[in-house]
Amino acid sequence: MVLRKTRHPKWNQTLHVLVQEPDNQIMQVSVLDYDLLSSSDLIGRCVVDLSEITSAEHDAPPANAIERDWHLGTGQFNDQAGCGKGAGRLRMRLTYKSFENFTAQDAAELTRGIVIVRIIEVLNVAPHTSRPMTLFTTMQCEGDTKKSPLIYGKGNKPFFFQYKSSFEFYAVPDTAIVVVNLYENALGGSDLIGSLEFNVADIAASRGRAPWMEDEEVGMMYFTAKKLEEADTAHMKLALRYVPCTAS
């Protein structure tokens, strides 16, 4: 958010960022002097160690929130002594909430996030011939299209996809739709076998558990065998995750 004509800006804005390593992740913050006609000038930077915030998650309010001033400096983020001081101070109030403690109400209050689609397995594909088939999937969301690698096999056996068939879409509004298509790759072109559609709002409000998770979590959809629309017999095992995130 840009605040104009002030040396003491007050944003009073809440942002949600993704924390993937709660025990050792840092957050890099830059404050800039915005210029409409040229590149913005750096005022100062700071590095925030998130381990103190994440370790306070289970403390009773208000102890679970850390509010303080961070000194801004013009040094680099990777400087051994930090970014330094002398360029002002930035006050922030930080609170951490892990996935298992995230609620449906929390998700409903946010309108933008990251959608992760993981294709695990395709089952019961009706073979056209006795020869091996070559399949691939595409994922579409908000005008962005991603394609999985080609998978080889026979239609009467499962087609296994690996972690490389997990794709992420960023800054996705909760009004968006995710479309997953399954194709057979052939010499004359690609033939659509079937498709699935998911409302992002439904993913955000769902609560589920995949085999690699210990507990159910809000924002997780997991299907062991979801039948594809327009397909005769094909089913897909897949997981969809919504991660609230309003800042990068």
Side-chain angles (χ1 to χ4, degrees):
M1 178 186 294
V2 177
L3 298 182
R4 303 179 184 277
K5 299 181 180 181
T6 177
R7 293 173 60 87
H8 305 282
K10 295 182 179 180
W11 284 276
N12 291 322
Q13 182 181 15
T14 300
L15 299 175
H16 295 79
V17 298
L18 176 62
V19 179
Q20 295 177 300
E21 300 292 339
D23 296 331
N24 53 27
Q25 189 165 327
I26 62 171
M27 181 173 65
Q28 300 173 339
V29 183
S30 298
V31 179
L32 304 174
D33 180 12
Y34 176 75
D35 194 320
L36 178 63
L37 300 179
S38 62
S39 59
S40 299
D41 299 320
L42 175 71
I43 294 176
R45 304 183 179 95
C46 67
V47 176
V48 180
D49 183 353
L50 296 180
S51 61
E52 181 182 3
I53 293 93
T54 60
S55 62
E57 178 186 11
H58 299 292
D59 294 343
N64 63 332
I66 307 296
E67 182 173 343
R68 70 166 64 124
D69 292 343
W70 277 265
H71 288 280
L72 298 174
T74 56
Q76 300 299 316
F77 285 126
N78 58 357
D79 286 352
Q80 186 173 3
C83 299
K85 302 179 181 180
R89 291 180 297 176
L90 176 66
R91 169 156 290 196
M92 293 184 289
R93 186 175 188 269
L94 304 176
T95 306
Y96 173 75
K97 182 170 286 191
S98 55
F99 281 134
E100 55 264 29
N101 292 321
F102 212 78
T103 67
Q105 182 178 353
D106 292 329
E109 293 174 353
L110 302 175
T111 59
R112 192 168 294 270
I114 303 169
V115 175
I116 305 170
V117 183
R118 179 180 171 189
I119 310 299
I120 303 170
E121 186 179 351
V122 174
L123 308 161
N124 303 324
V125 178
H128 301 295
T129 68
S130 59
R131 293 178 297 179
M133 302 175 67
T134 303
L135 305 182
F136 69 92
T137 62
T138 64
M139 280 68 63
Q140 298 171 324
C141 184
E142 288 293 285
D144 188 10
T145 300
K146 303 180 185 296
K147 179 181 176 181
S148 75
L150 299 176
I151 301 295
Y152 305 92
K154 291 188 176 181
N156 57 354
K157 295 183 178 180
F159 291 76
F160 293 102
F161 291 76
Q162 305 300 323
Y163 281 101
K164 57 188 176 182
S165 294
S166 180
F167 300 93
E168 300 176 355
F169 299 90
Y170 293 88
V172 178
D174 61 358
T175 55
I177 295 175
V178 177
V179 179
V180 179
N181 296 311
L182 176 66
Y183 290 92
E184 180 183 5
N185 190 58
L187 294 177
S190 301
D191 297 324
L192 177 66
I193 295 175
S195 61
L196 296 170
E197 288 191 4
F198 302 92
N199 293 315
V200 171
D202 293 338
I203 304 173
S206 64
R207 186 177 185 90
R209 185 182 72 84
W212 55 86
M213 299 165 55
E214 293 184 1
D215 301 302
E216 288 188 347
E217 295 178 4
V218 170
M220 167 60 73
M221 276 186 175
Y222 178 73
F223 299 95
T224 57
K226 179 78 170 175
K227 187 179 184 303
L228 277 71
E229 298 177 9
E230 304 173 5
D232 293 333
T233 58
H235 289 68
M236 184 176 290
K237 180 187 292 188
L238 76 163
L240 300 100
R241 156 77 81 179
Y242 175 81
V243 181
C245 185
T246 55
S248 57

